[in-house]
Each structure stands twice: as C-alpha cells, then as structure tokens.
Amino acid sequence: MADGNLVNDSIESTPSETEISENTLLVETENSQNDIEIVEDHSSTSDENENQTVIDSIAETNAEESEDETLKERHNIPMQDYDALSLETLVDELKNLVTNEKVMSVKDHIEEIRKAFLAKYNHLIEEKKEEYLVENPDTTEEFQYHSPLKTKFDQFYSQFKDTRNTHFKSLQTNLKSNLENRLAIVEELKELINPQANIKDTLKHFNDLRERWKNAGPIPKDKYNHVWNNFHFHVENFYDYLHLDREARDLDFKHNLEQKQKIISRVEVLVNEVDINKAFRELQDLHRIWKEDIGPVSREHRDEIWNKFSDLTKQMHDKREVLFENLRGTELENLEKKKQIIAQIEVLATEKVNAHSQWLTQIEKVEALRTAFFSAGKVPSEVNEETWASFKTAVRNFNTFKNSFYKDIKKDQNDNLSKKTALVAKAKELQESIDFATTTPIMKQIQEEWKQIGHVPRKYSDKIWKEFKDACNLYFDKLKEQKNEENGEEVAAFDNKKAYLETLREFQLTGDHKTDLDGIKLHIETWKSFGKVPFPRRHIEGKFNKILDALFEKLSLSKKDTDMIRFSNRMDHLSESNDSRKLDNEKIFLMRKIEEVQNEIFQLENNIQFFTNTRNAKKENSIVLEVRKNIAIHKESLDVWKEKLKQLRNLKQE
C-alpha cells in the first residue's frame, strides 16, 4: 500500500484511466500500475472511507487557503455576534476591519457585518416610513430618508470591494504563473526516470526540482489536489522504481518517517487540547506540512503511519462535532428565547391603550424586547431568516397598531392647530391696540383659551407658539410701558392730594349756605383734577371723605343732597379706577334697593286701603297717619335711589 500522503492525494483527485495509462507508460514498469490499483483498493475500505471524509474536508480547506494565504489569518480574528451590535457599532467595526486587516482575512466577517447592518437598517427605514405616512396621510410625495450612518457604511464597504477586486486581479495573475511553473516541474520530474542517466546527476536534479517545487507559490484551489497528486506520484516512483543509491534513499525515508512521527506525537497532544477549534486549526496546518513539506517513507511503514494519523484526525473531528452539537444546543436555546420575545411583542401589538403616556410605556417595552432579541445570540442557520421575518412582522404589527392611535391624535392635533391659528390671528389683530381697558381682558381671555387647547402637530408646535407669544408679549409690553407712565402720574397725584389735605383742613364755612356749598364743590373738583393715586396709597381718599362729611354736617344740607354729593364723589373715584366690576355691582345693588322700596310702598298702600274702607274712614286715626308718613319717607328714599341709578348709568355711558 502506498504512503498515507499518496493515499490521501489519490482519493482527493483519483486519476482517470487515461492518466493511469499515461503514468504507467512514463514509469515503464508494471509495479507502478499495481501501486495505483492498491491505492484504489485502499480507498474502497469502509472504515477508512469515514476517515477519508474528514481528511477530504481538511484538504479542501487547505486547498482554498493555499490559493490565498491571507485566508489563514481570518481564523485569528474572532467572529463576533454582529446581530447583537447597534448600527453605530457595526459601522465602527467595519471601518476597523477594512482599515487595519488584510482584505481576504476578514471577508467572512465583513459579509456578516453587511447582513446584520442591512437587516437593521431596512427595519429602521420601514419604521421611519410608517411614521412619515402617519404624519402625512394625504401626501403624494415619495418617502425619502437619508442616514449619515448608511453613507459611512457604503463608503467603507466600497473601499473593501475595491481592495478585494485589486487583490483578486493580482492573485489570479500570480496563480496562473505558479501553476505553469509547477506543471513544468512535474514534466521535468517525469523525465528523470531514465535508467541510462548518471545516478548522481539525476539525484542532484531531483533535489533541485523538490526545492523549486517548495518555493513555487500558490496555485488555483481547483487545480491544487490534482497537481499535488501528480507531483507526489512521480516522487514516489522516483524513490521506488529507479535504481537509486539505496543508502541515500533510506536516509531520506528515515528522515521523513521521523518528521511524520513528530506530527503524530503533536496530534496526540492536540486530541486533549481544551480549545478544540484552536487544536483543529493546528491539525489543518499539520496536514498541510505532511502533504506539502515531507516526502514519502518506506513502503513497510506507509500504511501504519498513515492509518495512525488518520485515526487521530478522526478523533479530533469527532470532538469538534461534539462541540458543534453543543453550540447547536445553545443556538436552539437562543431560538426559544427569540420566539418568546416575538410572542411578547405580538401580545403588545394587541393591548389597546388610550393615552400618549401609556403608549410611551408600551414603546419602551418593545424597545427593551428588541434589545433583548438582538442580544439573544445566534440561532440555527436554517431558521435564521424565518426567525428574523417573524420578528420584523411582530414589530411592524405593533407599529401599525400604535400608528392607528396616533392617526386619531393627528386629527385632533390638526383641529387644535386650526383653533390656535385663529387665536394667533386674533392676538396679532389686537397687539397694537392702545385701548388697554377694553383690550386687556380680551387678551387675557385669549391666553386662557390657548391653555385649554391641546397639542398641535410637532412640526408646527414651535412656530405657532412663537407667533402667539410674540403677539402677546408685544401687547403686554406696551401695557407695561403705559402703566409705568401712569404710575409716575399717580405718585405725583398722591403728593398733590397729600398737600391739598392740609389746605382743606383750614377751610372755614362763611355761614352763607350757597357760598359754602359752592366752596365745598370746588374743593371736590380740585381734588378730582389731581387724578388717581397708587393703589396702595388709596387710604388718602378716606381722609378726604372724612373732611367732607364734617363740612356737610356743618352746612346742614338736606339728607338727600348730602347723600347724593357723597355718592357722586364715590362713583367718580370708581370710574377713575376703571373698575367696571365694582360699578356693575353698584348698579345691581341700586336696582335691588329700588325694588325693595317699591315693594314696601306697595305694601303700605295696601294697608291704607284696608283702613279707608272701614266705617271710620272719614275720621283717620293715628295708625293711618303713621302709615301715610312712612309712605312719604319711602317715596323720598325711592327718589334718591333712582337718582343714584340714573347718575350711575350716565357715568357708564360717558
């Protein structure tokens, strides 16, 4: 049986009948054909077929990495769970890999980043589009969304593709050249089998060919096994079928055996390595060394050493499969977690709430579930797309359910916008008014109405509030300026009235009724001419009224005249203070007093009727006289009340 290296290579790319015939003719010996037949018998063994499947897998990976040696480095860069990263972190990770690592060593990582980024970004776009349609239900414009993150991602991914394309072009040129070089070496190796040649020269040429082969560089992976098989086939023929110096050949066989035994010893250690992935990675490198760097061993050791190496490889593979099964178990657990998260989102998509604050709570719950979903870890690859689709559907259904609520709010907000727009127009219309007595209550009422109106669409909120605030501020700033001016006048009025009180206290009646009454009225008019005083100092009006009361008592005016003068003076003060509420209250009071007095008169007159209808009607008694006297008093009082009401109405008309 051939050496394990040859067995592996022959099975990797079993020569066709044409190739076998060609090789047999080249060797010109029956043994070479028999050797190939033995290889074929070896490959058909059922126990070794299982081992061969494992070795085929390793050989396939080595062939790929031999084509581009930068692929070896990707195993040293950890593959993160990119689905659990945010968009910002994914862009940062892409930038780091593209900028700092060799392009082919990170191609798998970048592909995973691309899938994770696009999945999340497309999900974000769907949400933004739904929000846009909710806010603009009647729009005919096409939805557009631009993200700086997407721009950065596209920039780095384009950089990766450009670098990769440049790398491929350079690689293909080198691979083609190296392939031609190796095929030429194989052809030279065939020509070495010449019994007529000098053995020392042939051996020197053989060693030169082996050194050239070792340094020839990578070739296309689809040619890798076939070319290596041919090379090793003819190497073994050179050793086995030519009449070489047996001592030199045996030394070479011994050296190769020792090297392969060292590899087996190392694999025996790797079988117990805790980090199985790291150990298996080293096993791949050992297979590459076994195949590419170490020559054949003597025929008597070939089967034994190869079978041992194959069995150890199978043990490593089985341990790795157990690890994969454990990882699959973890992935299944992650799948259950994600299914539960999806189910919770589906429940939230049916829970009806009727307030914005409650919806904010619901949204926070969904955001927390989304974070948990992305952090749950990988799921089995065969259900990854299905799980992601279910998650997107659940979130989309929640957003649709949420948006139906906000569509109704949107309608209310548009109604509120119309109401507030009307108030803004009204406030702007009044903002330049200087009729402060009339306008101020209206402006205050507008502000109260504004407070009662709810929210407006967010994109109009700041603008309409600024317009309303500016209009109100303009008016009330003018009002404040006017009050500041009035306040100065009021202080001056107080000072004047305070000084005038001293003059009034020195006023003496002459004894002439008309002259004294005119003098008192002149003092009242002078007092009024000073104007209003500051509100906190209105006590001075009370001092003035006390002096007047004392003068009226000395003047001996009729009660009616005195009462009317005092009433007129008090109403003038109310009118000056622009206190319409007190004037209205005074009007209501007077109307009630008039009604009361009229009712009293009506009742007294009814009583008179009772007495005048009796037998003694001609002779009125003291009771009747008393009733008539009361009627007269009430009528006089009624005249005073009516006169006051008339005066008040005239005052309000003015």
Side-chain angles (χ1 to χ4, degrees), residues 307-523:
N307 289 337
K308 194 168 186 178
F309 186 47
S310 298
D311 290 340
L312 288 170
T313 298
K314 178 65 167 52
Q315 291 179 42
M316 286 281 293
H317 177 269
D318 291 343
K319 289 190 68 174
R320 190 163 177 256
E321 286 300 307
V322 171
L323 174 64
F324 285 159
E325 284 299 317
N326 292 336
L327 290 176
R328 182 170 177 81
T330 302
E331 290 178 350
L332 290 173
E333 292 177 2
N334 296 339
L335 177 61
E336 287 303 313
K337 291 178 184 177
K338 290 192 173 183
K339 284 183 176 179
Q340 293 176 9
I341 291 171
I342 292 170
Q344 292 179 62
I345 296 176
E346 288 173 343
V347 170
L348 291 174
T350 61
E351 291 182 352
K352 189 173 183 180
V353 293
N354 297 312
H356 174 62
S357 59
Q358 293 174 325
W359 272 111
L360 290 178
T361 302
Q362 297 292 87
I363 292 170
E364 287 179 0
K365 290 179 181 178
V366 171
E367 286 300 316
L369 289 171
R370 285 183 60 184
T371 301
F373 181 89
F374 290 127
S375 302
K378 291 184 177 180
V379 301
S381 58
E382 63 270 18
V383 295
N384 185 54
E385 292 297 329
E386 177 186 347
T387 306
W388 174 247
S390 298
F391 172 72
K392 287 199 299 182
T393 300
V395 174
R396 186 184 299 112
N397 289 341
F398 171 81
N399 287 333
T400 301
F401 188 54
K402 173 197 69 178
N403 291 341
S404 64
F405 168 78
Y406 283 103
K407 282 180 181 177
D408 295 336
I409 287 185
K410 192 70 175 179
K411 182 179 181 303
D412 293 339
Q413 289 182 345
N414 285 330
D415 292 341
N416 294 339
L417 178 62
S418 298
K419 294 176 182 177
K420 287 191 173 181
T421 301
L423 291 181
V424 169
K426 196 171 182 180
K428 286 184 175 181
E429 182 181 344
L430 297 173
Q431 66 184 2
E432 299 291 347
S433 174
I434 57 174
D435 184 3
F436 300 111
T438 304
T439 306
T440 301
I442 298 175
M443 290 294 285
K444 290 182 177 180
Q445 180 61 33
I446 290 174
Q447 290 179 323
E448 286 300 318
E449 290 179 18
W450 183 278
K451 293 177 183 178
Q452 301 304 318
I453 300 173
H455 295 288
V456 301
R458 185 171 51 189
K459 62 181 178 181
Y460 300 113
S461 178
D462 292 341
K463 179 176 179 294
I464 196 169
W465 165 245
K466 185 177 184 305
E467 290 181 8
F468 181 72
K469 183 177 67 173
D470 289 347
C472 291
N473 287 345
L474 180 61
Y475 173 78
F476 283 105
D477 286 345
K478 291 169 68 70
L479 176 62
K480 185 178 180 181
E481 291 176 5
Q482 187 265 347
K483 284 187 174 180
N484 288 338
E485 293 176 359
E486 289 183 350
N487 190 51
E489 295 175 357
E490 289 175 356
V491 171
F494 173 78
D495 292 338
N496 291 333
K497 286 186 175 182
K498 183 178 179 182
Y500 194 74
L501 278 180
E502 299 303 321
T503 302
L504 190 58
R505 287 192 180 99
E506 297 175 358
F507 177 71
Q508 298 292 327
L509 297 178
T510 63
D512 180 74
H513 185 277
K514 184 176 184 307
T515 301
D516 292 337
L517 180 59
D518 290 340
I520 292 173
K521 287 182 178 181
L522 181 59
H523 283 303

Side-chain angles (χ1 to χ4, degrees), residues 539-553:
H539 60 275
I540 199 169
E541 302 292 342
K543 293 181 179 180
F544 176 70
N545 289 330
K546 284 184 179 180
I547 295 174
L548 288 183
D549 289 343
L551 292 174
F552 283 134
E553 287 179 4

